[in-house]
Amino acid sequence: MLKFLSFVFHLIPSRPVYAHCDIPCGIYDPYPAQEAAHTVIRMTKLIQEAGDDTHKIVRCTKVKEEHAEIVKRDVATIWGDYFKPEMIEKYPDLHKQVFEILKLASKTKQNVDLEAANQLLEKVQKFAEVFWESKGLEPVRIPSGYTTEGEIVSHK
Amino acid sequence: MRLFPLSRFEVQGNSMLPNLEPGTEVISFNWAYLFAKPKAGDFVVAQVKGREVIKRISKIKGDEVFLKGDNENESTDSRDFGWIKKEQIMGKVIYVL
């Protein structure tokens, strides 16, 4: 009977039905935002140490601007594209966290402010922890190995 | 409503994992909701923004349904495109080939 049913069903022309996710298909990672936040710290320190070296200040400022922008773009993308409304119910502080990251990233662009840069990294790391938790993976802080020292949030 | 009661579909994408893998073929019964009401948990094929999608009914409110993919982390569904009208449901999945 099942064989007959299957035979009949196969006579019906098939067409695609979509069970798609957004492109890129679930590929999100808070790693680049953390790397960029570390870069903002490094550039801030280099600017502070540059003295009268205008050329170096200009170069470091450019990189600082670009990487603060990477933080904003990547965090906003994960927030807007990856997180779903019911996940926000589970992480009610997420909107505030993202808002603070965007504001801090702007602050690090507007000023040579090491405290703001350190706060930015800390906020991005906390955001990364929420991200991995939401995927059911246990977040873990590991040494970054960068010149800034400090950590990167990954998962077990 | 479709004249022919059954349609065959090939699932594309990951949003119904682990229950329906990409490439799986399913049969939908196009007349399923002529005499019965949609229920939460039903696998359905629906017309959303000009294309046919396969999802599960999560919630029902009046003449609207909320669709969700089983693979919640990788599904674009009513959490993104909102509630849909029951008329947008084209059929209920009744058989997995």
Side-chain angles (χ1 to χ4, degrees):
Chain A
M1 182 62 183
L2 273 178
K3 267 190 175 175
F4 175 72
L5 262 182
S6 184
F7 171 74
V8 172
F9 287 156
H10 276 96
L11 295 177
I12 305 168
S14 175
R15 58 182 195 269
V17 63
Y18 296 97
H20 272 304
C21 60
D22 264 333
I23 300 168
C25 193
I27 310 296
Y28 300 103
D29 194 328
Y31 168 75
Q34 295 182 78
E35 183 191 33
H38 274 279
T39 305
V40 171
I41 292 175
R42 180 67 177 151
M43 291 305 117
T44 303
K45 284 181 178 168
L46 287 177
I47 293 165
Q48 287 174 337
E49 294 162 6
D52 296 333
D53 188 345
T54 315
H55 180 249
K56 189 170 182 181
I57 291 172
V58 170
R59 292 189 71 214
C60 292
T61 303
K62 179 177 182 288
V63 173
K64 177 166 72 74
E65 286 280 322
E66 288 167 351
H67 283 76
E69 200 54 43
I70 290 170
V71 173
K72 292 174 82 166
R73 186 196 65 203
D74 277 33
V75 168
T77 300
I78 292 172
W79 173 59
D81 291 355
Y82 165 73
F83 281 101
K84 308 282 185 191
E86 71 271 20
M87 293 155 99
I88 304 296
E89 285 169 23
K90 196 172 170 190
Y91 305 104
D93 290 338
L94 191 74
H95 291 338
K96 185 168 170 266
Q97 266 183 292
V98 172
F99 182 74
E100 286 173 354
I101 288 170
L102 300 185
K103 289 289 180 198
L104 271 170
S106 292
K107 195 173 175 183
T108 62
K109 290 170 82 174
Q110 291 156 353
N111 308 284
V112 183
D113 186 338
L114 190 57
E115 194 185 331
N118 284 325
Q119 283 174 3
L120 176 65
L121 176 62
E122 180 58 30
K123 297 269 181 201
V124 173
Q125 286 170 331
K126 284 186 175 155
F127 177 79
E129 284 169 343
V130 170
F131 173 82
W132 290 122
E133 264 178 45
S134 75
K135 289 181 84 87
L137 296 164
E138 188 182 338
V140 58
R141 291 193 181 211
I142 55 172
S144 69
Y146 302 153
T147 46
T148 45
E149 299 173 347
E151 295 166 321
I152 285 278
V153 172
S154 185
H155 63 84
K156 284 190 178 170
Chain B
M1 192 204 59
R2 290 175 179 271
L3 288 177
F4 195 70
L6 301 173
S7 297
R8 181 158 67 108
F9 293 99
E10 183 184 324
V11 177
Q12 297 193 351
N14 292 329
S15 85
M16 295 307 286
L17 286 172
N19 295 309
L20 295 175
E21 289 191 9
T24 305
E25 290 201 311
V26 299
I27 299 294
S28 88
F29 181 37
N30 304 327
W31 299 351
Y33 299 123
L34 278 183
F35 306 106
K37 289 181 177 175
K39 294 190 305 291
D42 287 355
F43 270 129
V44 295
V45 173
Q47 186 83 30
V48 178
K49 293 181 180 171
R51 71 178 187 170
E52 291 160 342
V53 300
I54 184 164
K55 302 287 170 192
R56 193 189 285 276
I57 295 177
S58 168
K59 290 180 269 188
I60 299 168
K61 181 180 71 180
D63 68 340
E64 291 184 319
V65 296
F66 194 89
L67 303 180
K68 245 171 122 166
D70 286 355
N71 184 5
E72 292 188 7
N73 281 344
E74 293 187 29
S75 173
T76 301
D77 46 41
S78 284
R79 294 171 297 170
D80 302 287
F81 51 70
W83 293 75
I84 66 158
K85 297 277 181 202
K86 280 181 184 168
E87 300 91 80
Q88 288 174 255
I89 299 176
M90 300 167 62
K92 176 182 176 179
V93 174
I94 54 163
Y95 194 81
V96 179
L97 287 165

